[in-house]
Amino acid sequence: MAIFFMLILVLFIQLKKKKLFTFSSWIFFVFIGVSIVYISDKRNRTNYYKAYLYENVTAILTIDKVLKSGNYYDKYEAEVSQINEEKTVGKVLLNIPKDSLQKTLNVDDKLFLKPSFIALTPSLNPHQFNYKEYLVKQGIYHQVFVNNQEFKIVDKRNFSLQGLAAKARVEIQNSLKKYNFKEEEYAVINALLLGQRQDISKELINDYSRAGAIHILAVSGLHVGIVLLILNWLFKRLDTSKLSRVFKTILIITLLWMFAFIAGLSASVVRAVTMFTFVAIGQSFKRKRIVEHSLITSIFLLLLVKPLLLFDVGFQLSYLAVFGIIWVQPKLYSLWQPKVVILDKGWQLFTVSIAAQMGVLPISLYYFHQFPGLFLLSNLVIIPFLGAILIGGIIVIILSLFEVLPQFIVETYGAIISLMNTFVSWISKQESFLFSEISMSGVLMLSWYFVIIFGFLFFIKKRPKNFILWLISIVLVQSLFIFNDFQKNKKHEFIVFHKNKKSVLGERVGDTLYVFHNLDTAMIKQEKVLISYKVGEVINLKYETTSPSIFQFKNQQIIVVDSLGIYKVDSLKNPIVILQNSPKINLERLIDTLNPKEIIANGSNYKSYIASWRETCRYKKTPFYATGKDGAYVLRN
């Protein structure tokens, strides 16, 4: 089919049919996209592991990636290499309870076990982060829970680049641990140079995020771009001839991929190095707009290999930031060209930060709902020294591997890292400059990009057409705000949120959610379930200190049965029953007495009670809803 399309395109070129060629090209690329998505989805293969799942199967899982641990489990991404005697493909999320005596698992370890493959659970509350959706985009559809006595390490994968990179990274980490770096210093070095953020405390990550400098801690396009700039500067003497430029390009690309290898060949690093590999190739040609073409080529290549990268947040942010810098920064820089070198370099950095922020601001608000107002200050202070920090870190690693790292270098480098952490922490504490809980829908995000793009086009070329397009985009944004407000004020909902061991009920009336709960005052105001709903719906929260036992929602009565077990109310007719705080009741008798329309059990009940109630409702043919399995219960007008 692809050959057929190619022949058609060649024919249209020969016949000089530009419109037909353009239309056929679009069809051809859509065909390529659909085909690649289908081929890359392992569920479409005959040896996908799910086809061999029966009771009491044995499996061999091969560790592909060590993930950041959760509160209770160490997590791994694992390939299902074998089910019983059948060779299989497909990935799962492996969860192993944290234990001080647990076996250490590394990339390429093969585990023999008798697993239960559990389907991923979607988010249980409205507007909550959907971890299931995130894993599905990584090709993961099931998870496995085993303790340390339920598996055995039987072998290692013969060879993989990821495994080799992981071994090199572990060797580097062990060599660094021999020196007296402080805990936070070591954690930041691990993140900056090796791409491992597992050891960084939540407090420090929050500080970098609130300061608008979280990208510093993730080895990505920023780090690789700085390394490329340094390498171009080091080898600029090789630009004398065409042959020397080819040698320089090959040398730079080799060193970039060595840096990626040291950083563990993580997805973000491979993506960034691939992007800048094409940039380095493009720069060697010294032609106009070659960098843009190189970036587009790298996007095409990456999506051919892994099409679902298109929906990866890091992928989107990296390319939007780079394109923002390429297209916007030169125009901003041309507004003022200082004669003093220091001012000129500062102005360059300032315009780069503004251009990158213009590229990523709408999508950042869409995903993260906050804007650090002091991002310019943190970037202006940190980024000029980031190149030196990266080069210094590489020198520290090399010297530590050969065990010739002087103590004064350890202390100096550690002090620089601590100083950076202290500065970021100070920036993050300027809360008046942190704009959080900003709501941004997908449609609104795209509309803001139209405002930015058409506004910038008008800024460059003040033509009536560009001005009209800019005004239309502004009107579109305003129309969306008006429409959303209209829709918001019409809403009336009753919600039973899911919260483990607690009860949280809400009645939404227009732009206000009245919250009824059994949490203390400090906890409820920090409750992420409610904050996510508030931001997603752009509403106000009003916390109620007392919760009624009976609600009237339109024509529907709702009764809350708590630990006291009181439910006999004469005026009730076919109510919805909410069970909370594990009431010790005879559910059959309750059903016979109230004839409920539906029974809901929230997260405050014992799991054993919920299982028993489910069976009773099945026997009595009464609809049963458990928020721990089915998600938040939402009753709408």
Side-chain angles (χ1 to χ4, degrees):
M1 184 63 75
I3 296 173
F4 173 72
F5 269 117
M6 292 294 291
L7 291 173
I8 290 177
L9 293 176
V10 171
L11 177 63
F12 287 147
I13 291 174
Q14 294 297 322
L15 296 175
K16 298 182 179 180
K17 302 288 187 180
K18 291 184 178 180
K19 291 184 178 179
L20 287 174
F21 175 77
T22 302
F23 178 74
S24 300
S25 298
W26 277 103
I27 298 295
F28 179 53
F29 279 103
V30 169
F31 169 76
I32 289 176
V34 172
S35 301
I36 293 298
V37 170
Y38 181 85
I39 292 168
S40 65
D41 192 342
K42 293 182 179 180
R43 292 177 298 174
N44 297 319
R45 301 186 189 181
T46 55
N47 61 337
Y48 184 60
Y49 71 87
K50 191 177 178 182
Y52 302 97
L53 294 186
Y54 309 102
E55 290 186 6
N56 298 320
V57 297
T58 59
I60 292 179
L61 305 184
T62 306
I63 303 298
D64 274 345
K65 188 187 297 184
V66 180
L67 304 176
K68 187 175 178 64
S69 298
N71 293 330
Y72 307 106
Y73 293 94
D74 290 325
K75 297 177 179 290
Y76 305 87
E77 188 178 298
E79 179 78 15
V80 185
S81 306
Q82 186 174 317
I83 297 289
N84 290 337
E85 303 301 322
E86 299 289 340
K87 299 294 183 183
T88 58
V89 296
K91 292 181 179 180
V92 295
L93 178 66
L94 177 63
N95 301 274
I96 301 176
K98 287 186 174 181
D99 185 347
S100 60
L101 301 176
Q102 72 182 41
K103 305 168 186 175
T104 302
L105 298 184
N106 299 306
V107 175
D108 287 343
D109 281 348
K110 288 189 173 184
L111 315 181
F112 176 80
L113 65 163
K114 291 185 178 180
S116 294
F117 292 85
I118 302 170
L120 298 172
T121 304
S123 59
L124 296 175
N125 291 291
H127 301 289
Q128 204 172 15
F129 174 68
N130 196 330
Y131 192 48
K132 175 184 178 180
E133 186 178 312
Y134 169 79
L135 290 175
V136 164
K137 288 173 183 174
Q138 313 301 315
I140 298 173
Y141 300 90
H142 290 88
Q143 57 183 333
V144 173
F145 291 86
V146 292
N147 61 42
N148 293 298
Q149 289 73 43
E150 293 176 334
F151 69 88
K152 181 180 180 183
I153 301 176
V154 293
D155 200 0
K156 280 189 173 292
R157 187 159 41 196
N158 292 334
F159 174 79
S160 73
L161 281 175
Q162 288 84 356
L164 195 61
K167 288 179 182 177
R169 188 171 59 241
V170 169
E171 185 68 26
I172 292 170
Q173 289 171 331
N174 290 336
S175 67
L176 289 174
K177 286 178 180 177
K178 295 176 183 177
Y179 298 90
N180 297 323
F181 287 109
K182 295 177 182 177
E183 186 176 343
E184 291 289 13
E185 293 172 0
Y186 171 78
V188 171
I189 293 170
N190 213 9
L192 275 173
L193 299 164
L194 304 179
Q196 301 298 297
R197 291 168 55 175
Q198 289 92 329
D199 297 325
I200 301 181
S201 66
K202 288 184 179 179
E203 291 78 13
L204 189 58
I205 286 181
N206 287 336
D207 284 346
Y208 273 83
S209 178
R210 291 161 65 90
I214 190 65
H215 53 283
I216 302 293
L217 296 180
V219 180
S220 57
L222 173 65
H223 303 71
V224 178
I226 289 173
V227 171
L228 176 60
L229 287 173
I230 293 170
L231 293 176
N232 273 324
W233 177 76
L234 287 175
F235 302 128
K236 64 181 178 180
R237 293 182 180 274
L238 296 177
D239 271 337
T240 54
S241 66
K242 185 176 180 180
L243 184 62
S244 63
R245 281 201 300 271
V246 171
F247 174 72
K248 171 191 171 184
T249 302
I250 294 172
L251 180 61
I252 286 175
I253 291 172
T254 302
L255 291 172
L256 284 178
W257 282 101
M258 287 177 64
F259 178 74
F261 183 81
I262 291 173
L265 292 176
S266 66
S268 62
V269 176
V270 170
R271 181 175 64 242
V273 172
T274 301
M275 178 170 67
F276 282 101
T277 294
F278 280 90
V279 171
I281 294 170
Q283 288 176 337
S284 68
F285 286 97
K286 295 184 179 295
R287 292 181 182 176
K288 190 177 180 180
R289 304 187 71 86
I290 194 68
V291 174
E292 290 95 320
H293 296 153
S294 300
L295 286 171
I296 292 169
T297 304
S298 71
I299 291 174
F300 182 69
L301 178 65
L302 286 168
L303 293 180
L304 278 179
V305 176
K306 193 174 180 182
L308 291 183
L309 268 178
L310 185 62
F311 304 102
D312 183 85
V313 180
F315 179 86
Q316 295 168 359
L317 291 172
S318 294
Y319 276 100
L320 285 171
V322 173
F323 278 115
I325 292 169
I326 290 173
W327 289 331
V328 178
Q329 191 271 340
K331 302 298 180 182
L332 292 178
Y333 177 69
S334 65
L335 295 176
W336 180 47
Q337 294 181 337
K339 303 299 182 183
V340 181
V341 175
I342 295 177
L343 285 177
D344 184 59
K345 295 299 181 183
W347 176 239
Q348 284 185 33
L349 184 59
F350 178 84
T351 55
V352 165
S353 297
I354 291 293
Q357 198 65 40
M358 286 177 67
V360 302
L361 180 58
I363 200 169
S364 295
L365 294 178
Y366 173 69
Y367 284 120
F368 307 118
H369 306 294
Q370 68 176 23
F371 175 70
L374 293 179
F375 78 94
L376 273 175
L377 179 59
S378 56
N379 282 277
L380 285 171
V381 172
I382 295 174
I383 291 180
F385 301 101
L386 188 57
I389 291 172
L390 290 173
I391 296 300
I394 292 171
I395 293 171
V396 166
I397 286 174
I398 293 171
L399 293 178
S400 68
L401 286 171
F402 287 100
E403 299 185 355
V404 292
L405 178 60
Q407 186 60 34
F408 80 90
I409 292 182
V410 173
E411 293 174 357
T412 303
Y413 192 70
I416 292 170
I417 299 296
S418 291
L419 185 62
M420 182 173 70
N421 291 344
T422 302
F423 173 73
V424 168
S425 179
W426 177 79
I427 290 286
S428 73
K429 288 179 172 59
Q430 312 309 308
E431 296 187 0
S432 57
F433 293 96
L434 179 67
F435 306 99
S436 58
E437 298 183 10
I438 302 172
S439 180
M440 179 74 72
S441 66
V443 176
L444 189 58
M445 173 195 70
L446 293 175
S447 301
W448 274 114
Y449 270 116
F450 289 140
V451 172
I452 292 172
I453 292 168
F454 292 133
F456 187 69
L457 287 175
F458 176 66
F459 173 75
I460 297 172
K461 297 179 180 178
K462 294 179 174 57
R463 295 176 179 174
K465 179 183 176 181
N466 293 338
F467 182 64
I468 291 170
L469 289 172
W470 186 35
L471 287 181
I472 290 172
S473 63
I474 292 173
V475 170
L476 177 60
V477 169
Q478 291 175 330
S479 301
L480 285 172
F481 275 114
I482 293 169
F483 176 76
N484 290 336
D485 280 342
F486 175 74
Q487 291 292 102
K488 176 176 63 178
N489 291 323
K490 284 174 58 180
K491 277 193 176 182
H492 188 190
E493 298 176 335
F494 186 87
I495 307 172
V496 182
F497 291 96
H498 177 74
K499 174 68 177 174
N500 285 330
K501 300 179 181 180
K502 299 294 180 180
S503 176
V504 181
L505 310 178
E507 185 172 4
R508 162 85 177 270
V509 181
D511 64 352
T512 303
L513 179 72
Y514 297 90
V515 181
F516 307 92
H517 60 93
N518 60 359
L519 286 78
D520 63 50
T521 305
M523 287 181 62
I524 194 65
K525 290 184 178 179
Q526 301 297 321
E527 182 52 54
K528 292 182 179 179
V529 168
L530 296 173
I531 293 173
S532 297
Y533 185 83
K534 173 187 175 182
V535 173
E537 295 288 328
V538 199
I539 60 167
N540 303 310
L541 300 179
K542 186 174 181 182
Y543 305 102
E544 300 292 338
T545 54
T546 59
S547 177
S549 58
I550 298 176
F551 293 88
Q552 185 73 37
F553 183 82
K554 297 294 184 178
N555 297 321
Q556 179 63 58
Q557 294 175 313
I558 303 169
I559 181 171
V560 179
V561 182
D562 58 17
S563 56
L564 297 176
I566 299 172
Y567 61 84
K568 293 182 180 180
V569 180
D570 294 335
S571 60
L572 290 178
K573 293 181 180 179
N574 305 115
I576 292 174
V577 176
I578 299 174
L579 303 176
Q580 68 179 33
N581 302 327
S582 304
K584 296 180 180 179
I585 57 173
N586 185 316
L587 192 60
E588 285 192 39
R589 190 177 301 153
L590 182 149
I591 293 172
D592 291 336
T593 303
L594 299 179
N595 190 24
K597 181 180 179 181
E598 190 169 9
I599 292 178
I600 303 162
N602 65 18
S604 65
N605 299 289
Y606 296 132
K607 290 182 179 179
S608 58
Y609 281 32
I610 294 173
S612 175
W613 293 335
R614 188 186 299 277
E615 290 301 317
T616 301
C617 287
R618 184 180 292 117
Y619 169 71
K620 299 291 287 186
K621 296 182 180 179
T622 300
F624 182 77
Y625 191 102
T627 60
K629 179 182 178 182
D630 305 310
Y633 180 86
V634 182
L635 184 63
R636 294 184 174 90
N637 57 348

